[in-house]
Amino acid sequence: MKNYGEWALVTGASSGIGKAIATELAKAGFNLVLVARNQKVLEQQANTYTSQQQIETKIIAQDLSALAEISSIYHIHIADFWFIRCMAMKSLLPAV
């Protein structure tokens, strides 16, 4: 944590790889900013992490598949967090 800071921001945190990474980061003692579309699932995860791992959590319920939605999370000062991107953003990738 000394190299990365105390917080990690994980997108796609409600399921799959994003959830698995969030769980491992919580076990390692990182505080988490959890980003995904489903508020209820994020709240349940946050409660689990804070009670089992004694970490702090913040929740951002946003669909980041659209570029406009991504700018809505910049007020958090993303540079302060270890950013883990665990989502497909097809709309941002160049067409092949």
Side-chain angles (χ1 to χ4, degrees):
M1 286 185 354
K2 186 176 181 180
N3 293 331
Y4 300 106
E6 297 178 2
W7 285 87
L9 186 146
V10 183
T11 63
S14 63
S15 64
I17 294 170
K19 182 177 180 180
I21 290 174
T23 300
E24 292 304 312
L25 289 169
K27 288 178 184 177
F30 284 93
N31 298 313
L32 299 175
V33 179
L34 304 170
V35 183
R37 291 176 289 191
N38 192 318
Q39 176 83 25
K40 186 175 181 177
V41 171
L42 290 177
E43 289 172 356
Q44 291 169 345
Q45 281 177 244
N47 289 335
T48 299
Y49 296 145
T50 56
S51 65
Q52 292 180 357
Q53 307 302 330
Q54 288 78 45
I55 63 166
E56 294 180 52
T57 58
K58 296 181 184 206
I59 294 172
I60 301 172
Q62 291 285 335
D63 180 358
L64 299 182
S65 63
L67 185 59
E69 297 298 323
I70 294 172
S71 65
S72 68
I73 68 168
Y74 273 44
H75 70 280
I76 298 173
H77 307 291
I78 289 178
D80 295 340
F81 300 110
W82 182 24
F83 184 75
I84 306 294
R85 189 179 75 80
C86 301
M87 54 179 268
M89 298 178 66
K90 295 176 189 173
S91 63
L92 299 179
L93 300 175
V96 178

